[in-house]
Amino acid sequence: MNVKIENSWKDLLGDEFSKPYFESLVSFVKSEYETKTIYPKGDSIFKAFDLCPVEKVKVVILGQDPYHGPGQAHGLAFSVNEGVPFPPSLLNIFKELKSDLNLPFPSNGNLERWAKQGVLLLNATLTVEAHKAGSHQKKGWETFTTAVIEKLAAHKSNLVFLLWGAYAQKKAVVIPANKHFKLQSPHPSPLSAHRGFLGCKHFSQTNTYLAKNGLTPIQW
């Protein structure tokens, strides 16, 4: 199956696109786009990969679902286009950046600037029906994104994985601890951020680890 995804990812993921689960997933997703309002736009489903080729990846931030409100999701976990108000989770991410690195709140919530520096902003599920959180879970996306993390972790060394919340932390088992740096905390959602996301200092810890391993820190 010819999937429109950046070439280095196509090479890394290899036969994943021809497996029966992925063909079934594509059939489901195509049908959903034809009959319902689905986010993000079809040409943005793999934007996280397109903006961050395999050789550039230094950090992986794992989200759950795309945002399901109008104009929010654009293919990067936690990110929204310029002009869109900050969703609550993103607001808490920026609060933690202010606390951790004393960075001012940015003028917009578009995180493409992170992706272009090597931050893979990956949702576990890459599509969602409008106003229905979790509507495309357990259709095959989770199998695909687990394969992405497993193959990326096997291919590279000294990556930082930021695993926020129980859903993301399920993926930790496929990441070898002796090759990579895993940081875990509660999710930045308002329901859980106060239980340990706020104050986790993941951003400064990430940059310290990258510098220690000869890699350029992220300009958050």
Side-chain angles (χ1 to χ4, degrees):
M1 179 175 293
N2 184 31
V3 175
K4 291 180 180 176
I5 193 170
E6 194 273 335
N7 284 335
S8 66
W9 287 104
K10 192 171 281 191
D11 292 342
L12 181 71
L13 296 170
D15 60 353
E16 210 63 34
F17 301 117
S18 60
K19 291 183 177 177
Y21 87 85
F22 195 84
E23 294 182 356
S24 172
L25 170 64
V26 168
S27 176
F28 165 76
V29 169
K30 279 184 175 176
S31 169
E32 290 284 285
Y33 272 94
E34 286 167 3
T35 57
K36 300 171 184 173
T37 300
I38 305 298
Y39 300 127
K41 291 180 180 177
D43 60 4
S44 294
I45 292 173
F46 294 112
K47 183 183 275 191
F49 302 89
D50 296 337
L51 291 177
C52 191
V54 171
E55 62 274 11
K56 284 189 69 174
V57 180
K58 295 189 282 192
V59 180
V60 180
I61 296 179
L62 191 64
Q64 189 165 339
D65 269 9
Y67 296 122
H68 52 83
Q72 291 181 311
H74 68 129
L76 303 175
F78 296 107
S79 178
V80 291
N81 280 310
E82 294 176 28
V84 177
F86 300 160
S89 293
L90 185 57
L91 186 62
N92 282 332
I93 288 170
F94 291 151
K95 283 180 182 176
E96 178 56 23
L97 274 168
K98 175 97 173 65
S99 165
D100 186 10
L101 295 170
N102 199 29
L103 293 177
F105 273 51
S107 59
N108 66 77
N110 189 329
L111 303 181
E112 288 186 16
R113 58 188 180 272
W114 293 4
K116 290 172 182 175
Q117 295 179 74
V119 181
L120 181 66
L121 292 155
L122 180 66
N123 277 316
T125 303
L126 299 187
T127 54
V128 70
E129 184 180 345
H131 310 299
K132 292 189 178 180
S135 49
H136 285 188
Q137 291 176 6
K138 298 180 181 172
K139 302 294 184 183
W141 278 130
E142 294 93 338
T143 304
F144 173 70
T145 52
T146 296
V148 168
I149 290 171
E150 189 167 17
K151 292 185 178 189
L152 183 65
H155 180 71
K156 301 195 70 162
S157 299
N158 302 323
L159 296 174
V160 181
F161 289 87
L162 304 183
L163 304 171
W164 298 336
Y167 200 85
Q169 287 159 17
K170 289 177 185 173
K171 308 271 193 191
V173 294
V174 300
I175 304 166
N178 60 338
K179 286 181 68 182
H180 305 290
F181 188 36
K182 292 184 274 190
L183 289 168
Q184 303 188 34
S185 80
H187 194 275
S189 153
L191 298 173
S192 55
H194 62 281
R195 296 204 298 265
F197 175 79
L198 295 172
C200 69
K201 299 194 180 300
H202 280 185
F203 300 104
S204 59
Q205 289 186 68
T206 294
N207 279 353
T208 297
Y209 178 86
L210 292 175
K212 188 175 77 176
N213 286 281
L215 299 165
T216 305
I218 305 297
Q219 293 185 344
W220 300 105

